[in-house]
Amino acid sequence: QVQLVESGGGLVQAGGSLRLSCAASGITFSRYAMGWFRQAPGKEREFVAAITWSGAGTYYTDSVKGRFTISRDNAKNTVYLQMNSLKPEDTAVYYCAARRDMSGSYYYSGYQYNYWGQGTQVTVSS
């Protein structure tokens, strides 16, 4: 049974930082490209960041470039999202997603992912 479990969300003031984690089980983690998405109330889910299976390649949506960093530890079956300089508009439920892929590609459409976590709430106060 595949499970992706996010953690690390919470309430933070604008300008603060959070680190999200997503622990995977039931898959050979090192064979999967990973992504982070978010969904704010009343809005569609949007892509945030992606990382290739090896961690060699990363990709970000423009609004988080320079503030967020995606990384992974294949030995721990975990992908991370370090979020710095948080803004109120970053408030959302954050989801991690997995896609089996060892081509070295990364993916920014939710439809391209096979598995999803349950999400973790991030709230940034002004």
Side-chain angles (χ1 to χ4, degrees), residues 72-107:
R72 66 189 297 159
D73 185 337
N74 285 348
K76 295 183 178 180
N77 292 352
T78 301
V79 62
Y80 305 96
L81 186 68
Q82 178 67 45
M83 306 186 295
N84 299 328
S85 301
L86 282 161
K87 303 176 181 181
E89 51 264 43
D90 295 317
T91 294
V93 177
Y94 283 71
Y95 300 90
C96 68
R99 174 190 167 98
R100 183 179 171 93
D101 184 274
M102 296 188 72
S103 69
S105 299
Y106 39 72
Y107 302 88

Side-chain angles (χ1 to χ4, degrees), residues 2-6 22-37 45 47 49-53 70 72 74 77-79 95-102 105-118:
V2 178
Q3 280 194 312
L4 300 177
V5 180
E6 301 96 336
C22 171
S25 60
I27 58 174
T28 304
F29 183 72
S30 60
R31 297 179 181 176
Y32 282 74
M34 300 296 295
W36 284 98
F37 292 76
R45 181 181 62 197
F47 168 78
I51 190 167
T52 58
W53 68 271
I70 187 171
R72 66 189 297 159
N74 285 348
N77 292 352
T78 301
V79 62
Y95 300 90
C96 68
R99 174 190 167 98
R100 183 179 171 93
D101 184 274
M102 296 188 72
S105 299
Y106 39 72
Y107 302 88
Y108 52 86
S109 171
Y111 299 104
Q112 296 171 305
Y113 286 85
N114 306 118
Y115 303 109
W116 291 83
Q118 83 291 346

